[in-house]
Amino acid sequence: MMLRVSFLVIIVAAGANENDPAGQQILIFKEKTKGPIGVMTTSAGAPIEYKDATVTLNSNLIFNEYFMDSLTHLVRERIPERLVHAKAGGAFGYFEVTHDITHICKAKLFSRIGKRTPIAARFSPVVVERGGIDTSRDARGFALKFYTEEGNFDIVGFNTPMYVYKDPLLFSTFVRAQKRNPATNLIDGNMLWDFLTLRPESLHMFLLVFGDRGIPDGYRHMPGFGIHTFEVVNEHGEKSFVRFHFTPNAGIKNLRSEEARKIAAVDPDYATRDLYRAIGNGDFPSWKVSIQVLSLDDVKNAGFDVFDVTRVLPLDDYPLKPVGIFVLNKNAINYFAEIEQLAFNPANLVPGILGGPDKVFEARRLAYRDAQYYRLGANFNRIPVNCPIQVKVLAYNRDGRPPVKDNEKDTPNYYPNSYNGAEAYVDKKRAELIEIYQDDPNNFHQATELYVNEMTKDERSRLVENILYSLGGAAKFLQERAVKLFSIIHPDLGDRIAEGLASNRTKHYHYDDGYFVY
């Protein structure tokens, strides 16, 4: 009992600092309001009398509208959880152009130096379910919504510069392999390592996940990457290709396994709290926005598939070019309304940005839209946080699950029409997304380069340790398959994994909420 009480005291203490906007939010609200904000009402707006709001004993429940209104809403107030990226932190701010790229991209959000565009950001572990921990060993989503004057532009990226697979057919397999075993309802390392060893292109990204970059120290110190090579065009219709990079101005910082484990025990919402607290205290996090740029000739002569999302584009060949900065300076007023309902879609593109020609991008255009339809309904773009706030929407969509707002009022509801409904515009320099051929993935050499040239001796040792923590509990045939693949990446890596698995020093592990515990 004493241990439990002490643990609860630690949890409470995490939010007890008087200068902590996250821990003191409700007190801050009280201080800035003068007494009660008004008279309680039902959802239909009727005022609620004191007795109805305080006691139901010895009265007819069905006649108490406060009781009926609140109880029936309570059991309906959860919407479907995201399949992946369910737990998240987020905030709002602006993107500002610092360097001119109009010679390659005509999108108006880049139209002049100094121009600012409102943005929303959402950061999220991949595997962790809603209510899990922020310090899991896992990749992170890094999603940005630009509310431009030409509509919303979404970059649905990651904190790793590469992705897991090249063929989108593997999406359901990858997700299910990391989710709970349908028989035991437990995270199962055998499933994960079965996928990783059957699809070895995934090991490039998972070297980062199992390495020192696998647990970011909060979201403010986490880099982001657009992953895809986007096709962009200038006002003359000339094509270029770019990859987006977002580098935190506060520096990249990560947590070691032991440190992350201790934090998870006392503050499972560590990253979310840190982001909210920093913004609330006026310590606004910011990221430098850069791009790698390729010409059409670069694409043709690269010698490899520059659209392969499991690869990185070498910085020596395609150096970073600065574009701007984005700053997060506003917390959500209501988390559910503004972060949980914040809906991203790679198909949200604007004139001048055509998206990626790769199959993963094409599949995401369908999957993300379909996910929002399922979670939020067909009118999810009419939820305030998803509205394109800098442009008047003139769509021919009607009806469906609320919110419908004005439901397009009395305008015609079909196109084309002869009655002065909205018309499409003509782009005389229209460019089409290029068509590409993509071969089977093979990025062992990039994984080798990551292990040999981008990791220090100590980082390689910790990588091996973290892999063993996970792989040590997997079936022997999976261990053998993994050792063979790690040996292809580098004999040293394969030997160290094999030695660790054979040693009596290996322990028993389980995988909990996206984090390996031993």
Side-chain angles (χ1 to χ4, degrees), residues 82-113:
R82 285 172 167 87
L83 177 65
V84 288
H85 303 284
K87 178 180 172 65
F92 301 88
Y94 63 87
F95 164 72
E96 180 175 341
V97 178
T98 59
H99 292 73
D100 183 13
I101 63 166
T102 55
H103 60 290
I104 63 169
C105 184
K106 68 178 183 180
K108 290 184 179 179
L109 77 155
F110 303 126
S111 62
R112 58 178 174 80
I113 292 174

Side-chain angles (χ1 to χ4, degrees), residues 6 13 63 115 155 194 260 264 312 426 448 484 503 515:
S6 299
F63 297 143
K115 180 166 185 174
I155 297 179
D194 192 30
V312 298
V426 176
T448 301
K484 290 179 181 178
S503 171
Y515 187 77

Side-chain angles (χ1 to χ4, degrees), residues 423-442:
E423 295 184 344
Y425 83 104
V426 176
D427 183 354
K428 294 181 179 180
K429 299 289 185 179
R430 178 183 172 90
E432 300 291 345
L433 194 64
I434 65 170
E435 294 185 9
I436 61 174
Y437 170 81
Q438 294 193 281
D439 54 9
D440 292 333
N442 184 349

Side-chain angles (χ1 to χ4, degrees), residues 204-451:
H204 187 202
M205 176 174 159
F206 271 79
L207 286 185
L208 294 184
V209 172
F210 287 117
D212 280 0
R213 289 179 258 182
I215 312 176
D217 186 1
Y219 298 130
R220 294 185 298 128
H221 298 287
M222 188 175 78
F225 304 88
I227 298 174
H228 302 277
T229 302
F230 287 73
E231 180 178 334
V232 298
V233 295
N234 62 18
E235 62 181 355
H236 305 296
E238 298 165 337
K239 300 176 184 289
S240 297
F241 304 87
V242 303
R243 278 204 184 185
F244 290 95
H245 294 242
F246 310 100
T247 308
N249 286 316
I252 297 174
K253 295 182 183 179
N254 300 287
L255 298 171
R256 299 283 186 265
S257 297
E258 182 65 25
E259 187 179 11
R261 198 158 39 242
K262 291 177 179 177
I263 291 172
V266 297
D267 189 5
D269 301 312
Y270 172 77
T272 305
R273 187 186 314 280
D274 176 73
L275 180 66
Y276 191 103
R277 178 181 289 163
I279 295 173
N281 283 328
D283 182 15
F284 302 138
S286 63
W287 284 257
K288 181 171 65 175
V289 180
S290 307
I291 53 175
Q292 291 177 280
V293 182
L294 294 80
S295 66
L296 189 56
D297 285 341
D298 289 332
V299 170
K300 294 176 180 178
N301 300 319
F304 66 95
D305 181 3
V306 301
F307 303 103
D308 183 347
V309 292
T310 70
R311 289 176 172 267
V312 298
L313 301 184
L315 290 172
D316 289 342
D317 297 329
Y318 315 104
L320 291 178
K321 298 182 183 298
V323 177
I325 184 174
F326 81 81
V327 179
L328 298 180
N329 60 6
K330 180 180 178 295
N331 282 315
I333 296 174
N334 182 281
Y335 181 88
F336 179 86
E338 297 177 283
I339 305 301
E340 186 64 22
Q341 292 192 119
L342 184 56
F344 294 93
N345 185 355
N348 286 347
L349 301 167
V350 293
I353 305 175
L354 281 66
D358 59 280
K359 284 299 174 185
V360 171
F361 193 92
E362 183 178 346
R364 294 178 89 191
R365 293 185 70 147
L366 167 64
Y368 280 70
R369 183 193 308 275
D370 194 48
Q372 310 308 346
Y373 283 157
Y374 169 68
R375 293 182 62 249
L376 303 172
N379 290 311
F380 67 87
N381 276 328
R382 296 186 181 188
I383 296 171
V385 73
N386 298 320
C387 289
I389 57 178
Q390 292 207 76
V391 61
K392 180 176 175 58
V393 175
L394 295 172
Y396 281 92
N397 295 332
R398 288 290 203 285
D399 306 341
R401 197 164 86 191
V404 298
K405 295 203 166 180
D406 64 14
N407 205 29
E408 305 304 323
K409 295 185 177 179
D410 58 350
T411 62
N413 70 340
Y414 61 93
Y415 177 83
N417 64 76
S418 305
Y419 308 105
N420 297 329
E423 295 184 344
Y425 83 104
V426 176
D427 183 354
K428 294 181 179 180
K429 299 289 185 179
R430 178 183 172 90
E432 300 291 345
L433 194 64
I434 65 170
E435 294 185 9
I436 61 174
Y437 170 81
Q438 294 193 281
D439 54 9
D440 292 333
N442 184 349
N443 52 25
F444 278 112
H445 70 283
Q446 285 204 339
T448 301
E449 185 173 325
L450 173 61
Y451 181 73

